[in-house]
């Protein structure tokens, strides 16, 4: 169960928040039903559409084969095509399965060379995930990896190649010609909303994540968010709070946590909100805070800089790790820590930070039970739904990203691409 708590004193905003929650109630109802304006982008809204029994069986069967025949799995993808899987694979406390190596998210030569070096002497599979195979990072890395595979596996290389893309695309045609296994990137789901589809689930399953639990978490969250009314709906409340703070000049949201395993979840969240909201000169700019480390850098700005940031802490309620500090006879001035658990010290730092920041800026906390597959499923659905609502309130399309084309077209011209 996700919980949303407001940590700072927002008494002065309460009436405005209430008016906002009343004012957008019809948007909530429309989003819950599936807004017909966006019908071609709502495949994620009902988890049964893209992660039903048929899809899960195929994913699990393929993942079992991969885990049996390989010790590494290369996830080729960028943005929405890799962030969700990576955040779970690097974030869950326990998993058993292939090591996942990430490719197709950079154009840097050293990164590519080092990625290939990691594969030397290991058995591996690759999955090229690209909705639009024109995206240069994954498409070019896929070429390099196929060539490397030929040198390693010869004629049997094709057995180890998977692609997840759009039926009828050039990636799909390549798969037909070369005999690669092909999974659908659902046409009605954009990259950043694709966590609970073949896109996110196949790499997670190859890495040994219990994808059924993840889908269950997302589905339970769906039941909640698509049925609860404006006053009880946590995603709606979160979306209204974002808009409220934005209206009052807090144009940046910092997602902060004292949980280092959330590093890649941050990337997913950042992408979800930045690409969905940043349009028509509007939108909250998403930034992240990896604490406690960044308290020693951005912490200063948050506390004393201009009041432009509101903060959302992400927390897990269950104690997952423990490391007790033993007494030491040497005089290091740290005896007050004797017998304390780093778990509690980290939590004390978190509590103190929330208190300090709450005095300067709007702060809220979203907490989940534990960093496991079920709760990642909950978080994905929660933020996707909230993002669609937040964009609706802002009056922008949550599902397109026209601004990304600006650099791409110039880059293609520089590289001599003609069609
Ligand atoms: O959310 C999105 O749509 C984007 O971030 C895409 O996921 C990203 O650009 C990768 O696109 P593609 O899957 O076409 O390579």
């Amino acid at each position: 169960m996700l919980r949303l708590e407001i940590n700072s004193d927002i008494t002065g905003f309460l009436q405005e928040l209430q008016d906002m929650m009343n004012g957008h109630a019809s948007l909530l109802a429309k989003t819950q039903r599936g807004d017909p304006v966006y019908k071609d982008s709502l495949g994620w809204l009902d988890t049964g559409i893209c992660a039903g029994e048929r899809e899960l069986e195929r994913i699990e069967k393929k993942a079992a084969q991969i885990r049996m025949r390989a010790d590494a799995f290369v996830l080729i993808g960028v943005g929405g095509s890799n962030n969700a899987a990576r955040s779970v694979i690097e974030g869950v406390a326990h998993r058993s399965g292939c090591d996942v190596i990430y490719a197709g998210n950079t154009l840097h030569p050293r990164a590519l060379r080092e990625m290939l070096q990691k594969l030397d002497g290991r058995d591996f599979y690759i999955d090229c995930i690209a909705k639009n195979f024109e995206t240069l990072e994954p498409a070019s890395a896929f070429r390099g990896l196929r060539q490397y595979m030929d040198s390693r596996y010869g004629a049997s290389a094709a057995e180890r190649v998977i692609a997840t893309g759009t039926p009828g695309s050039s990636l799909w045609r390549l798969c037909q010609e070369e005999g690669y296994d092909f999974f659908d990137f659902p046409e009605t789901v954009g990259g950043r909303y694709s966590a609970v589809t073949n896109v996110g689930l196949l790499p997670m399953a190859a890495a040994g994540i219990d994808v059924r639990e993840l889908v269950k978490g997302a589905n339970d969250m769906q039941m909640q968010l698509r049925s609860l009314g404006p006053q009880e709906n946590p995603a709606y409340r979160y979306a209204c709070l974002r808009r409220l703070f934005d209206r009052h000049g807090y144009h940046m949201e910092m997602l902060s946590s004292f949980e280092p395993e959330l590093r890649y979840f941050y990337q997913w969240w950042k992408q979800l909100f930045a690409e969905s909201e940043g349009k028509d000169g509007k939108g909250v700019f998403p930034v992240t805070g990896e604490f406690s480390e960044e308290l020693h850098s951005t912490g200063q700005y948050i506390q004393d800089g201009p009041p432009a940031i509101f903060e959302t802490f992400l927390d897990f309620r269950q104690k997952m790790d423990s490391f007790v500090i033993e007494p030491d006879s040497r005089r290091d001035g740290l005896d007050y820590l004797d017998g304390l658990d780093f778990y509690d010290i980290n939590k004390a730092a978190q509590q103190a930070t929330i208190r300090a920041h709450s005095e300067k800026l709007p702060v809220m906390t979203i907490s989940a039970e534990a960093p496991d597959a079920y709760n990642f499923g909950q978080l994905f659905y929660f933020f996707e739904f909230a993002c669609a609502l937040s964009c609706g309130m802002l009056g922008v399309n949550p599902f397109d990203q026209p601004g990304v084309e600006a650099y791409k077209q110039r880059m293609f011209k520089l590289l001599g691409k003609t069609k």
Side-chain angles (χ1 to χ4, degrees):
M1 182 73 164
L2 290 193
R3 286 189 206 143
L4 170 66
E5 184 193 345
I6 299 169
N7 306 102
S8 48
D9 179 8
I10 61 157
T11 320
F13 294 135
L14 277 182
Q15 189 53 51
E16 198 180 337
L17 177 64
Q18 196 51 53
D19 293 345
M20 199 179 250
M21 290 177 74
N22 294 336
H24 289 295
S26 60
L27 171 75
L28 172 64
K30 198 160 56 172
T31 308
Q32 288 173 323
R33 285 193 305 271
D35 186 345
V37 171
Y38 299 123
K39 65 177 184 343
D40 295 337
S41 307
L42 294 180
W44 57 275
L45 189 63
D46 179 347
T47 57
I49 295 179
C50 299
E53 189 52 37
R54 197 163 48 96
E55 287 80 10
L56 286 174
E57 271 175 24
R58 184 169 175 222
I59 286 169
E60 286 175 333
K61 195 163 161 219
K62 188 71 196 177
Q65 181 199 82
I66 296 168
R67 291 198 304 266
M68 202 168 66
R69 298 185 65 205
D71 47 30
F73 177 86
V74 186
L75 193 182
I76 308 168
V78 70
S81 294
N82 80 347
N83 277 330
R86 192 173 196 178
S87 54
V88 179
I89 293 164
E90 305 299 327
V92 295
H94 306 290
R95 68 175 182 87
S96 60
C98 292
D99 258 1
V100 179
I101 291 166
Y102 301 92
N105 54 349
T106 174
L107 295 168
H108 199 281
R110 193 178 72 201
L112 285 157
R113 210 178 24 250
E114 285 176 357
M115 180 270 298
L116 288 178
Q117 277 163 1
K118 285 189 196 153
L119 295 172
D120 280 347
R122 307 178 79 179
D123 272 320
F124 65 98
Y125 270 64
I126 66 177
D127 181 11
C128 177
I129 309 177
K131 182 161 188 162
N132 167 5
F133 193 49
E134 293 215 328
T135 312
L136 198 54
E137 290 90 341
S140 56
F142 189 35
R143 179 190 277 198
L145 273 154
R146 289 197 319 272
Q147 289 166 347
Y148 175 76
M149 287 195 103
D150 290 342
S151 71
R152 287 280 310 275
Y153 292 106
S156 67
E159 293 166 15
R160 293 172 175 271
V161 181
I162 305 161
T164 304
T166 305
S169 65
S170 54
L171 179 58
W172 175 84
R173 270 197 307 280
L174 189 63
C175 293
Q176 303 290 306
E177 284 161 19
E178 300 297 321
Y180 305 150
D181 210 349
F182 185 82
F183 283 72
D184 283 5
F185 195 130
E187 290 192 47
T188 55
V189 183
R192 55 193 180 274
Y193 292 85
S194 67
V196 192
T197 72
N198 289 332
V199 175
L201 298 175
L202 179 61
M204 292 180 210
I209 304 288
D210 185 343
V211 290
R212 278 182 193 268
E213 270 299 294
L214 188 134
V215 175
K216 185 171 181 320
N219 191 51
D220 287 352
M221 184 53 69
Q222 172 191 326
M223 302 301 230
Q224 202 185 330
L225 299 184
R226 292 186 71 186
S227 61
L228 290 177
Q231 299 304 323
E232 304 82 34
N233 197 306
Y236 182 62
R237 194 173 175 77
Y238 170 62
C240 287
L241 284 162
R242 301 182 85 250
R243 291 277 64 86
L244 178 77
F245 299 145
D246 188 20
R247 191 192 274 178
H248 285 271
Y250 300 99
H251 299 310
M252 284 187 256
E253 178 180 15
M254 176 171 258
L255 186 72
S256 302
S257 175
F258 283 72
E259 303 288 335
E261 66 269 32
L262 287 174
R263 172 164 300 167
Y264 293 100
F265 185 80
Y266 285 159
Q267 303 299 332
W268 175 82
W269 175 87
K270 214 158 27 182
Q271 187 216 359
L272 176 68
F273 280 96
E275 277 195 325
S276 301
E277 267 196 0
K279 283 159 206 168
D280 306 335
K282 299 188 257 187
V284 166
F285 186 65
V287 294
T288 53
E290 288 190 47
F291 297 158
S292 62
E293 186 171 3
E294 289 187 328
L295 289 174
H296 303 269
S297 55
T298 53
Q300 171 61 35
Y301 188 99
I302 298 165
Q303 196 76 43
D304 284 342
I309 303 174
F310 66 94
E311 196 169 21
T312 303
F313 280 86
L314 211 49
D315 187 27
F316 294 115
R317 296 188 292 273
Q318 217 177 82
K319 181 171 178 175
M320 301 298 289
D321 285 294
S322 171
F323 191 120
V324 174
I325 299 187
E326 300 298 338
D328 191 305
S329 56
R330 283 159 293 200
R331 289 199 302 167
D332 60 3
L334 292 174
D335 291 352
Y336 68 99
L337 298 177
D338 286 358
L340 282 183
D341 193 323
F342 268 109
Y343 174 83
D344 296 309
I345 298 172
N346 197 37
K347 286 287 177 204
Q350 175 176 324
Q351 216 181 333
T353 306
I354 291 176
R355 277 189 201 158
H357 290 185
S358 303
E359 285 164 17
K360 300 294 276 203
L361 43 128
V363 175
M364 57 187 149
T365 301
I366 293 172
S367 65
E369 200 53 38
D372 56 21
Y374 180 86
N375 282 284
F376 272 106
Q378 295 241 302
L379 286 167
F380 285 136
Y381 198 91
F382 175 85
F383 282 115
E384 287 170 12
F385 194 83
C387 184
L389 285 169
S390 189
C391 290
M393 292 175 199
L394 199 61
V396 299
N397 180 344
F399 307 113
D400 65 358
Q401 55 283 330
V404 178
E405 289 306 308
Y407 96 87
K408 278 194 191 170
Q409 294 316 321
R410 287 165 178 80
M411 174 183 69
F412 287 142
K413 197 165 165 212
L414 287 174
L415 294 172
K417 184 176 184 219
T418 50
K419 51 178 178 144

